[in-house]
Amino acid sequence: MAPDAEYILPLRWASDSGLAELSAYLRHLVDWIPVTVVDGSDRALIESHRAAFPPAVRLIPPDQQHVSAGAQPSGYGRGSNGKVAGVMAGVRASEAEFLVIADDDVRYTREALAAVVHHLRSADVVRPQNYFAPLPWHARWDTARTLLNRAWSADYPGTLAVRRSALLATDGYAGVLFENLELIRTIKAAGGTERILPGLFVARRPPTARHFIRQRARQAYDDFAQPRRLLAELALLPAVAGTGLLPAILRRVALLALAGAAVACAEAGRRRDNGTAVFPASAAWFAPLWALERAACVWLAVFFGLAGGVPYAGGRIRTAAHSEAELRRRHAGKLAAACRTQAPTMDAVPA
């Protein structure tokens, strides 16, 4: 592992049901890379985490005062995504240049961790590919979304690797709903480069079925950050409903054609970049079900948007992510300016 690397894990738990498994993962992780956990849980849970985690893990609180991208406070309070406050607290506390940021359900191998850090030598932000392990029914369902993303463009994982200097040059990123997309767009807007690695697979533990169900409308709300995708998904429900106007035999043919197209696209994503190594064939067959779910939930997301934002952590978040144009307006040239500021002056160069 590169000596100038660190792993940052933002954490905010309401219960410790997964503590033993996470602690076991961290015991391996600290042998490979320095680890900082930014813990925004209640005080009693923080103490249990401190006792369970390996002594080598640095445990710090989130930065409640951080204000990101000149926008809104990104703390754990109402109206913003608290994960951003955790990430930025870890970034500011770190002295390493190569930072791996990961959700609490992400599970790197040593090889994948070394690879993602290696690619930071030639990019400012690196995006690997998550996959669920194990795979209960709802994880296969959600994997269909991943496969469709891979077929059309690229998926957004629960982990990114970033250069600390690039992120600090922008003074952080806003506490929006789709925070990983916001981070990527912010660094690119400042002049940074992104490397997408759809063949670098990093495991992720699936949520509970109950949590999966609660996420449906929230994930659909992310599409407000991707207008073309939003419009395409808003058209799904009218398209399916429109088949009801056809004669019975044509209706069945049309529905089978739509379902077959979804499966074919998901299978194309599964086969891309050696995806068959981690994505089972059965996940592609969930694509029609996922498409129907999104066809309904995206309209629910529109309702939330009109009502002031999607419910999150006791409040509402209105912004899914800022547009690339808006972020370029805020951050254009910041990375180059930071590099010029940090470069030694002629007077400082020894003769």
Side-chain angles (χ1 to χ4, degrees):
M1 202 66 59
D4 196 16
E6 187 170 354
Y7 190 99
I8 296 175
L9 193 164
L11 190 67
R12 187 194 180 207
W13 280 2
S15 72
D16 275 349
S17 58
L19 181 58
E21 197 273 339
L22 177 60
S23 299
Y25 169 63
L26 293 178
R27 281 193 286 274
H28 293 292
L29 194 63
V30 292
D31 289 337
W32 310 334
I33 189 172
V35 177
T36 294
V37 174
V38 186
D39 200 340
S41 308
D42 291 338
R43 183 179 299 276
L45 293 180
I46 292 175
E47 293 306 315
S48 69
H49 300 165
R50 194 181 303 277
F53 293 162
V57 170
R58 177 170 61 162
L59 197 66
I60 64 173
D63 182 0
Q64 299 285 0
Q65 303 303 315
H66 175 68
V67 178
S68 58
Q72 57 187 339
S74 59
Y76 281 99
R78 299 169 64 89
S80 62
N81 190 330
K83 176 185 170 183
V84 176
V87 169
M88 289 310 303
V91 169
R92 294 181 185 281
S94 177
E95 297 181 355
E97 172 65 1
F98 303 143
L99 303 179
V100 179
I101 300 167
D103 292 346
D104 56 14
D105 57 2
V106 170
R107 298 293 179 266
Y108 274 93
T109 63
R110 182 170 188 162
E111 293 74 20
L113 190 62
V116 79
V117 170
H118 168 76
H119 283 287
L120 273 180
R121 297 186 181 278
S122 56
D124 296 294
V125 58
V126 176
R127 189 189 338 172
Q129 174 66 66
N130 273 151
Y131 68 96
F132 285 119
L135 271 171
W137 69 268
H138 58 282
R140 292 175 192 268
W141 184 304
D142 208 25
T143 296
R145 170 183 57 86
T146 296
L147 300 182
L148 291 169
N149 286 343
R150 285 169 61 86
W152 291 107
S153 55
D155 192 40
Y156 288 94
T159 177
L160 297 170
V162 301
R163 281 182 171 267
R164 180 175 183 268
S165 58
L167 189 51
L168 289 182
T170 68
D171 196 30
Y173 59 115
V176 297
L177 185 68
F178 201 166
E179 83 289 338
N180 278 351
L181 176 60
E182 183 82 1
L183 188 156
I184 292 169
R185 285 181 175 178
T186 298
I187 289 179
K188 291 174 68 177
T193 57
E194 177 191 15
R195 176 154 296 177
I196 302 172
L197 302 171
L200 178 56
F201 300 109
V202 180
R204 188 172 192 175
R205 297 292 180 258
T208 63
R210 181 179 180 182
H211 187 65
F212 164 79
I213 292 170
R214 290 204 305 264
Q215 287 179 321
R216 299 305 87 210
R218 189 183 301 172
Q219 283 191 358
Y221 198 89
D222 285 342
D223 287 345
F224 279 95
Q226 304 168 91
R228 285 180 293 182
R229 177 174 180 144
L230 176 65
L231 291 174
E233 292 182 354
L234 286 171
L236 286 174
L237 194 60
V240 172
T243 62
L245 302 176
L246 299 173
I249 184 65
L250 291 180
R251 181 169 64 250
R252 286 193 289 268
V253 170
L255 290 175
L256 284 173
L258 289 172
V263 172
C265 286
E267 182 61 20
R270 191 178 81 90
R271 293 173 182 268
R272 180 185 174 191
D273 294 293
N274 198 36
T276 54
V278 296
F279 299 119
S282 59
W285 291 95
F286 279 84
L289 295 175
W290 179 86
L292 281 174
E293 168 226 304
R294 180 53 59 92
C297 287
V298 74
W299 284 98
L300 182 58
V302 169
F303 168 78
F304 283 132
L306 295 174
V310 68
Y312 183 91
R316 287 183 180 270
I317 296 182
R318 177 180 291 276
T319 305
H322 292 98
S323 69
E324 295 172 87
E326 170 65 15
L327 292 172
R328 281 195 299 269
R329 185 187 66 79
R330 296 182 184 183
H331 301 296
K334 284 187 175 180
L335 192 53
C339 290
R340 288 195 299 270
T341 301
Q342 294 168 7
T345 63
M346 292 301 296
D347 292 340
V349 178

